[in-house]
Amino acid sequence: MPTSQLKQIQHLVDVGDTMNVISLLNTMDFHEIAEILNRLTDQKRIIFSLLSPEIQSEVIIQLTEQSKQIIIPELSIYECARILYLNDSDDATDILQHLPVSKREKVLQKILEPKRRKIEKLLTFAKNTAGAIMDLNYIIVK
């Protein structure tokens, strides 16, 4: 990612030109957007909020822990639930673990039952363990 592109985005956010920020972000893939967010010292939440829900759900799992700690706790319950809906259960669990327990429960209430049960099962495992990151969807071959 060229530094000039990063500086351009920072400038556009500083002057409040959200339409051009969105246009520029729409030319990038989610890895590039995550790299931008990870390299920024501020404005992470502003730029993240300009992304479509589908892109947010891809970008959020590519963020560094530091970026996740800045962005995820500031999401509304609705925004969190929407992102969890669009992600696999294991990624959704990782996202939820960045929320306070009280907010986590409110977000889980917004998730449909089958997925909520999977996420709740994964939450019983300690963070960064094999159990916490496993995929509960599997097939049995005989």
Side-chain angles (χ1 to χ4, degrees), residues 84 88-98 104 118-125 132-133:
L84 298 184
D88 292 333
S89 299
D90 56 329
D91 291 326
T93 303
D94 177 57
I95 294 165
L96 270 178
Q97 289 175 333
H98 288 86
R104 190 182 302 168
K118 288 179 182 179
I119 293 169
E120 288 171 339
K121 180 174 180 76
L122 291 171
L123 283 171
T124 63
F125 298 98
I133 61 172

Side-chain angles (χ1 to χ4, degrees), residues 2-95:
T3 303
S4 61
Q5 206 172 20
L6 178 64
K7 288 183 179 183
Q8 182 181 12
I9 289 174
Q10 286 176 307
H11 172 72
L12 291 170
V13 171
D14 286 341
V15 299
D17 191 352
T18 56
M19 294 308 291
N20 278 324
V21 174
I22 293 168
S23 294
L24 188 54
L25 292 172
N26 284 337
T27 66
M28 301 176 189
D29 71 18
F30 63 89
H31 291 101
E32 294 171 314
I33 297 169
E35 184 180 341
I36 286 174
L37 290 171
N38 289 331
R39 290 177 59 189
L40 288 170
T41 53
D42 56 1
Q43 304 170 324
K44 294 176 192 275
R45 177 67 184 119
I46 294 167
I47 293 171
F48 187 80
S49 70
L50 297 174
L51 303 171
S52 70
E54 294 77 16
I55 299 296
Q56 284 179 339
S57 69
E58 295 287 347
V59 167
I60 204 162
I61 59 177
Q62 301 298 319
L63 295 176
T64 62
E65 283 300 309
Q66 180 186 14
S67 292
K68 287 178 183 178
Q69 290 171 2
I70 292 169
I71 293 172
I72 295 173
E74 298 300 318
L75 296 172
S76 72
I77 292 168
Y78 173 75
E79 288 170 317
C80 283
R82 183 177 58 203
I83 290 170
L84 298 184
Y85 171 77
L86 294 169
N87 271 298
D88 292 333
S89 299
D90 56 329
D91 291 326
T93 303
D94 177 57
I95 294 165

